[in-house]
Amino acid sequence: MEQDKRLEATARVLEVMNTLRKECPWDRQQTFESLRNNTIEEAFELVDAITDRNMDGIKEELGDLLLHVVFYSKMGEEEGAFDYTDVCNALCDKLIYRHPHIYGDIHAETPEEVLANWEALKLRKKNRKSGTLGGVPRSLPAMVKAFRVGEKAAATGFDWQHKEDVWDKVREEIAEVEAEMKSGSKENMEAEFGDLFFALINACRLYGVDPESALERTNKKFISRFNYMEKQAETQGHTLHELKSDEMEELWEQAKDQE
């Protein structure tokens, strides 16, 4: 019964897409290129909902992303390139191929072993000219890209032998940033800050922390505290820029105590 409901829901969304593509002026004029930015936006809206642990929001945003999968599939069908069935079958074939520890005779007991097998199989399947890092999308945000680059490199064995060793690299990069700040070269400072960010992102990876989630958590915390400061200053008949440093610091400590 549950499977029947899933099949009915899938058939329904495909039929709705067929109708919209035929009858809606906006849907008719869309192309792969015109939907691209919308797809990126929908993905980030899903990330926001996940960050907030908003289950209703996650459900809604997953639906929006599914719409894009169905939309692209419909356009592919119209061009005679592929259809929704091809997309689903290609996904299943890929998952089966990359899970030989489930569907084959490869042994993998830990998530790390699974990831190593996954990356090795991906590299074997893709054009070897692209190399291990060739599969990292160019359009990824820099932080996400750095994390994926580190993951893929580590899957080949290029990684710190002990995760604690990464802190030597972090300290080394901090020292290089400080040295370049004295030189006054903006280009060199940018390069060294980039190296420092990359080292910190690798530290996150080694300790099982998602750097994007960690930074967003801090963003939300800072915004909440800053908003509190502004409201408290307003109740006193001031704006923040009218307050002295010690007065702002006092409000900041109050904001922290409210958490």
Side-chain angles (χ1 to χ4, degrees):
M1 177 64 73
E2 187 62 31
Q3 182 177 5
D4 291 342
K5 289 183 179 180
R6 291 197 297 265
L7 293 175
E8 289 174 5
T10 301
R12 184 185 181 200
V13 72
L14 292 173
E15 186 56 37
V16 169
M17 185 73 257
N18 288 339
T19 300
L20 293 179
R21 190 66 172 168
K22 290 177 183 177
E23 301 180 13
C24 175
W26 187 89
D27 288 281
R28 280 203 308 267
Q29 74 174 5
Q30 298 313 306
T31 64
F32 286 97
E33 292 74 21
S34 70
L35 282 181
R36 175 182 177 275
N37 288 339
N38 286 345
T39 306
I40 295 171
E41 183 178 336
E42 295 297 351
F44 278 109
E45 288 180 359
L46 173 60
V47 170
D48 284 345
I50 292 172
T51 300
D52 295 338
R53 291 287 295 172
N54 179 352
M55 292 301 167
D56 287 337
I58 293 172
K59 179 182 69 175
E60 179 179 351
E61 300 306 336
L62 284 173
D64 290 344
L65 273 184
L66 177 58
L67 167 63
H68 283 248
V69 173
V70 172
F71 213 143
Y72 289 121
S73 299
K74 179 61 180 177
M75 291 188 291
E77 178 184 338
E78 293 167 353
E79 294 188 15
F82 60 87
D83 60 16
Y84 183 77
T85 301
D86 297 324
V87 171
C88 292
N89 284 332
L91 171 61
C92 290
D93 291 344
K94 180 191 293 185
L95 291 174
I96 291 171
Y97 173 75
R98 292 184 182 173
H99 289 77
H101 54 291
I102 303 297
Y103 296 99
D105 55 3
I106 300 298
H107 180 78
E109 291 290 342
T110 67
E112 292 75 20
E113 290 174 336
V114 172
L115 181 60
N117 285 337
W118 178 280
E119 294 295 345
L121 289 167
K122 284 173 67 176
L123 183 59
R124 188 184 310 166
K125 192 80 171 178
K126 290 182 179 292
N127 185 341
R128 289 185 178 275
K129 292 182 180 179
S130 67
T132 301
L133 305 181
V136 179
R138 297 188 305 274
S139 299
L140 279 179
M143 182 178 291
V144 179
K145 183 186 292 186
F147 192 87
R148 290 294 292 132
V149 165
E151 277 188 326
K152 285 179 173 290
T156 70
F158 186 73
D159 205 1
W160 285 270
Q161 288 188 337
H162 306 287
K163 64 182 182 181
E164 295 81 5
D165 296 340
V166 72
W167 298 114
D168 290 334
K169 185 63 175 175
V170 171
R171 284 187 284 269
E172 173 189 328
E173 298 299 346
I174 291 174
E176 292 180 4
V177 167
E178 291 176 334
E180 287 301 336
M181 289 183 73
K182 297 175 183 177
S183 75
S185 169
K186 184 175 181 180
E187 182 177 352
N188 290 346
M189 283 191 289
E190 183 179 276
E192 294 303 336
F193 268 114
D195 291 346
L196 175 57
F197 289 148
F198 193 78
L200 286 170
I201 290 168
N202 272 291
C204 287
R205 174 180 59 80
L206 289 165
Y207 282 86
V209 173
D210 176 6
E212 183 72 24
S213 296
L215 183 56
E216 180 57 17
R217 183 174 182 174
T218 295
N219 286 339
K220 292 176 69 174
K221 180 169 59 179
F222 183 89
I223 290 169
S224 175
R225 292 176 180 176
F226 194 85
N227 287 343
Y228 175 88
M229 291 171 61
E230 284 191 317
K231 290 178 180 177
Q232 290 300 115
E234 185 177 348
T235 61
Q236 300 170 15
H238 300 289
T239 59
L240 276 182
H241 74 270
E242 294 173 335
L243 300 181
K244 297 177 181 179
S245 296
D246 59 337
E247 292 174 321
M248 284 194 282
E249 182 63 29
E250 182 179 349
L251 289 179
W252 179 262
E253 292 300 325
Q254 290 179 20
K256 290 169 63 175
D257 291 340
Q258 297 298 313
E259 297 173 352

